[in-house]
Structures are given as C-alpha cells and as structure tokens.
Amino acid sequence: MEKEVVWVNGKLLSRGEASVSVFDHGFLYGDGVFEGIKIADKRLLLFEEHLDRLYHSLKVFGIKEPMPRQDFRQVVLDACKASQIVNGYVRPVVSRGPGDLGVNPNKCKEPTVVVIISRIQLYPKEFYERGLDVVVAKTRKTPKECMDGSAKICNYANNTFAIMEANKAGAQESIMLLSDGRVSEASADNIFIVRNGEVWTPTLSTNCLPGITRAAVLRIAKEIGITALEKDFGVKELTGADEVFLTGTGAGIVPVATIGGKKVGNGARQVTNKLMETYFARVPQMSTPYE
Ligand SMILES: Cc1ncc(COP(=O)(O)O)c(C=O)c1O
C-alpha cells in the first residue's frame, strides 16, 4: 500500500510524527538547501542529476555534507521503497541544523536531514492543453551578487512574492526579470520562448536555477533537430514570441497561453507540442527504479 513517509535524521516517520527543532536555522533563516525529484511509475526521474545539484548546493552554502553522496542516494531509495508511492515526489532538505537565535551559523554543529516522500500536485491536465496564464512580476529576481542561483536554497521569499503577484492577477505563474530587464525564470520553473522555429532559454548569467528539466529539454531539442540556444532576451522578445513554455521537475513541460492577459503567438504551439511529446515519452528511460 502507498503511504507518505518522512525520513528525519535517520528515522522513518509519518507526516504527523516528523518534526525538526524550532532552533533549526533552516526554520529560523531559510538556511538550508533542497531538491524536488519526481517519482514516475516507481522510478526517480533524473535522479543522479538531482543528487549532484543537492551536493553542489551544500558546497555553495558551506553546509557540511551530512553523509557521503552514495549514502544519501541509498536513503532516498530506501525511503521510496518504504512508501511504495507509484507517482509522487521526493523532497530532500538539508538545513544548517539547530543553533541559537543569532544569524551566525557558527553554533549549528550538525545539519538536519529530511527526506519527504509524498504525492505530487501537478498542474491539472487541462493546463497542458489550454496552457498557463502568467504575468511578468514587478518583483525582480535576486541577482547573483546577492545569492548564487546555481544552488537551490530554502529561502524562496523572492519567488513567493512573485507568485503572489500571479495569484492576485488570477494567473498561475509569474515571470521574473533581473533589474536590467533580462528575463530570468518563473517563480518555480525555467522559461523557454520559440521564435521563428528557434528555442531560446535565458543563460545562467540571469541567475536562474540551472534546471534539470531545462538541461534535458536543451538536449532533447538538439537531438530531434530543433535549434535550442541559451540566449538572453527581454520582455519585448517574450511577449512577441511565437510560443512560450515553462519547464520543471513537477511540471515537465507546460505551455504558456497568455502573458499579462495577452495571447501568446497564434496558439499553434508546434515546437512546444513536439518537445512535450518527446520529453514525456522519454521519462522512463531518464529514470532510475527505486526497487
Ligand atoms: C526557481 C526555480 N526555477 C526552475 C526550476 C526548475 O528546475 P528543475 O527542472 O530542476 O526542477 C525550479 C524547480 O524546482 C525552481 O524552483
């Protein structure tokens, strides 16, 4: 039988039992890193890539590795096996650990490790057909000088402000720009545009997350003969694009129907549909069975 499980510092618990200290700097200051891994048909999608990024994030933020990467890998596999969840989501979180009330992390001796195995809340099927409504957020993306976006840190305040703007407008997602006007990413997804048959996604210099789905889409596009470039662009190119789509572990590839209430292109979505078809068909071969 499928059940949600939470691994906390070596113990496999239920949702109700799982807890961490209120003095944990992950709770007090968002001082931690995390991942989101999709379980598709009892397989972990792009599992090694997510583990690599988790360990990269730990390094960027100077959080002590709680265990060797291979042991972490086994913890995730064992927790998935205990859950027997067929289609769901793994959320590993490593925080700086419990310390005192000061911001200084020097009192945080041991990182806290949590691995949640749960069900996923995907966009409903209709959004893959109809497309999402998005807005361009007024909230700007945190620049690299303030926070290294190559790491997936637990502090999502910036993204939360952006998605609240979307909620207010009755949209589902928000596109974030850098202060110089370049498009960076959505609040929880990477962004791609299609112009004259070419696919563009912002470069990592925009401080967007190096999305694992983004990388897979760039790879797949090249393999099936679509020109796919990492190339920066502004709002003009975004709103004037023939097609726009978002990518992320949870969403996969999801088309954008409107930006700020204006329809994207003529709604034909030839390139997006081709990429969606190929990407979703390849999910099994990009995944690792958990048992
Ligand atoms: C801010 C942000 N950008 C992009 C993504 C997509 O990244 P990935 O494809 O690795 O899930 C995510 C998803 O977690 C995200 O939170």
Side-chain angles (χ1 to χ4, degrees):
M1 211 189 59
E2 292 185 64
K3 63 169 191 278
E4 193 176 60
V5 300
V6 189
W7 192 96
V8 186
N9 291 333
K11 290 202 184 92
L12 206 52
L13 305 166
S14 67
R15 175 191 282 244
E17 293 163 335
S19 64
V20 296
S21 165
V22 293
F23 290 94
D24 196 295
H25 276 216
F27 174 69
L28 290 172
Y29 296 112
D31 190 355
V33 299
F34 74 104
E35 272 304 319
I37 312 170
K38 186 173 174 169
I39 308 173
D41 214 6
K42 291 195 167 184
R43 300 167 79 89
L44 295 164
L45 177 58
L46 296 162
F47 186 33
E48 303 303 331
E49 286 82 346
H50 283 284
L51 286 171
D52 287 346
R53 191 171 61 189
L54 181 69
Y55 272 68
H56 167 77
S57 299
L58 288 171
K59 207 170 183 174
V60 168
F61 284 98
I63 297 175
K64 189 170 126 185
E65 288 186 7
M67 63 187 92
R69 182 191 179 284
Q70 277 312 95
D71 295 358
F72 205 110
R73 185 180 189 278
Q74 201 55 49
V75 165
V76 173
L77 292 173
D78 292 346
C80 286
K81 207 167 161 182
S83 83
Q84 285 297 307
I85 285 180
V86 180
N87 289 296
Y89 187 73
V90 181
R91 166 60 57 89
V93 185
V94 183
S95 78
R96 186 92 52 186
D100 63 14
L101 288 180
V103 179
N104 194 330
N106 63 357
K107 298 269 165 55
C108 306
K109 298 297 178 212
E110 288 303 321
T112 298
V113 183
V114 172
V115 181
I116 304 170
I117 319 290
S118 187
R119 291 196 180 77
I120 202 162
Q121 269 200 313
L122 278 174
Y123 287 123
K125 200 164 166 268
E126 68 185 81
F127 283 130
Y128 291 87
E129 286 149 19
R130 198 180 68 74
L132 300 178
D133 299 316
V134 308
V135 294
V136 175
K138 288 197 179 71
T139 306
R140 293 294 183 247
K141 171 82 191 169
T142 311
K144 203 163 198 96
E145 305 86 279
C146 300
M147 186 99 84
D148 183 347
S150 73
K152 204 162 158 64
I153 190 170
C154 290
N155 191 327
Y156 260 46
N158 187 234
N159 310 51
T160 305
F161 288 138
I163 193 72
M164 283 186 339
E165 290 188 46
N167 292 344
K168 218 169 170 182
Q172 292 86 41
E173 249 295 13
S174 226
I175 310 302
M176 304 180 77
L177 315 176
L178 283 170
S179 319
D180 66 11
R182 281 181 295 157
V183 172
S184 176
E185 62 179 341
S187 79
D189 286 308
N190 289 108
I191 184 164
F192 285 73
I193 62 172
V194 182
R195 294 176 63 89
N196 304 319
E198 269 186 17
V199 174
W200 299 359
T201 193
T203 66
L204 298 181
S205 79
T206 64
N207 212 27
C208 62
L209 186 76
I212 287 163
T213 321
R214 172 186 180 274
V217 168
L218 285 170
R219 256 193 331 265
I220 288 171
K222 282 170 196 156
E223 276 171 40
I224 62 174
I226 295 170
T227 305
L229 308 169
E230 293 179 85
K231 182 170 170 157
D232 292 339
F233 52 87
V235 172
K236 204 164 143 238
E237 286 92 348
L238 172 69
T239 52
D242 303 323
E243 304 174 35
V244 178
F245 61 89
L246 305 183
T247 66
T249 294
I253 302 177
V254 62
V256 172
T258 65
I259 302 172
K262 292 207 184 76
K263 197 170 153 190
V264 174
N266 62 11
R269 295 193 201 136
Q270 254 171 357
V271 176
T272 310
N273 287 340
K274 179 93 193 123
L275 284 168
M276 282 171 70
E277 203 180 291
T278 317
Y279 174 84
F280 287 115
R282 287 196 190 181
V283 164
Q285 75 197 61
M286 295 192 290
S287 313
T288 309
Y290 67 64
E291 62 178 3

